[in-house]
Amino acid sequence: MMVTAQTPWGWFLGYLILEVTGASASSVSSRIIQGQDCFPHSQPWQVALFSEDGFFCSGVLVHPQWVLSAAHCLQDSYIVGLGLHNLKGSQEPGSRMLEAHLSIQHPNFNDPSFANDLMLIKLNESVMESNTIRSIPVATQCPVPGDTCLVSGWGRLKNGKLPSLLQCVNLSVASEETCRLLYDPVYHLSMFCAGGQDQKDTCNGDSGGPIVCNRSLQGLVSMGQGKCGQPGIPSVYTNLCKFTNWIQTTIQTS
């Protein structure tokens, strides 16, 4: 099953959990809940992905010409916003808008269902790094339960509105046992969970964005269960430590 960003895959997982477990799950998606405005340009690797219909997903600059994002955000082409803080700011100082027409999903995306949720997007030109645009290294060590990580994005707020300014929130990595229990039967080792404390969470619109732990890119916003920001219910992130070889090889050979 292939579901693009315009048909959020999270809705399908929500119905699957409801059908299989009887849980009250109406949707699965990602937005910043109980966060705050990021300090401007404190996340210079943050990327905004736009289609003809406007902003739809986030991404992360990992190389001067390559962006990582969630595979379920796949489009034929993209306008990629780099160095942005305010999505509504036209020609924001230090920002760039570039086109991209090549994106490569992980070959095992959705095998099994909802697993391996990552893709690489090649910008039509390389970017020069600056105070507002900078790449971030991908983590080579897998996350440890209790690690504090920072997630950022322009997804919907708790009040349902879309923010114009980039939002940040600190989350703690949950144990594999908790993640497996909450997301059975779709849990996969390509995933890890974070959040569930103090109603802090991600939800609709943050897909593909970064979760940064110990100064490296640990994961990408992928999905969640039911209503966002439920106490004790973390969300799911793509576990990038499992994919370092694929990321490096794809960049080198494409």
Side-chain angles (χ1 to χ4, degrees):
M1 180 179 66
M2 182 67 67
V3 184
T4 70
Q6 292 181 327
T7 308
W9 69 308
W11 288 96
F12 289 86
L13 180 55
Y15 291 127
L16 178 63
I17 293 173
L18 180 61
E19 178 181 352
V20 174
T21 69
S24 177
S26 60
S27 68
V28 182
S29 45
S30 308
R31 77 177 171 237
I32 299 294
I33 301 290
Q34 297 287 64
Q36 58 188 358
D37 295 351
C38 300
F39 188 81
H41 308 298
S42 60
Q43 313 303 311
W45 41 81
Q46 180 88 34
V47 166
L49 300 180
F50 300 90
S51 67
E52 292 180 356
D53 298 324
F55 170 77
F56 68 94
C57 272
S58 285
V60 194
L61 189 70
V62 294
H63 176 277
Q65 201 171 359
W66 289 90
V67 168
L68 267 176
S69 187
H72 74 267
C73 292
L74 179 70
Q75 300 281 303
D76 291 332
S77 62
Y78 314 82
I79 299 296
V80 180
L82 303 108
L84 294 172
H85 179 62
N86 187 347
L87 277 189
K88 297 180 180 177
S90 60
Q91 298 180 333
E92 186 174 355
S95 68
R96 292 200 65 189
M97 304 293 284
L98 299 177
E99 294 185 5
H101 297 95
L102 173 64
S103 47
I104 304 169
Q105 286 181 317
H106 191 275
N108 295 326
F109 171 54
N110 261 344
D111 181 21
S113 295
F114 315 115
N116 307 302
D117 187 15
L118 74 158
M119 68 174 171
L120 278 161
I121 300 170
K122 188 175 186 179
L123 304 174
N124 284 8
E125 61 182 272
S126 295
V127 293
M128 291 286 292
E129 297 203 358
S130 66
N131 290 336
T132 56
I133 300 173
R134 191 163 69 247
S135 61
I136 185 172
V138 177
T140 56
Q141 299 295 317
C142 291
V144 175
D147 280 354
T148 298
C149 307
L150 187 140
V151 188
S152 50
W154 290 279
R156 294 189 184 277
L157 305 172
K158 190 175 183 181
N159 61 13
K161 296 181 179 180
L162 286 170
S164 57
L165 302 181
L166 185 65
Q167 300 294 296
C168 285
V169 67
N170 286 312
L171 302 176
S172 293
V173 175
S175 69
E176 181 181 333
E177 293 76 15
T178 296
C179 199
R180 187 185 297 272
L181 177 65
L182 287 170
Y183 290 95
D184 181 71
V186 297
Y187 174 80
H188 187 260
L189 289 176
S190 64
M191 308 169 180
F192 75 95
C193 288
Q197 308 90 19
D198 302 323
Q199 297 184 308
K200 295 178 179 180
D201 199 5
T202 49
C203 203
N204 311 72
D206 289 322
S207 288
I211 179 167
V212 176
C213 315
N214 302 313
R215 301 183 181 180
S216 61
L217 179 63
Q218 194 74 68
L220 304 171
V221 178
S222 183
M223 60 182 180
Q225 179 178 322
K227 183 180 177 182
C228 306
Q230 294 184 85
I233 307 294
S235 288
V236 173
Y237 300 83
T238 306
N239 199 0
L240 292 179
C241 64
K242 308 284 187 177
F243 300 101
T244 53
N245 288 340
W246 179 80
I247 292 167
Q248 293 170 1
T249 300
T250 302
I251 289 174
Q252 291 168 1
T253 60
S254 304

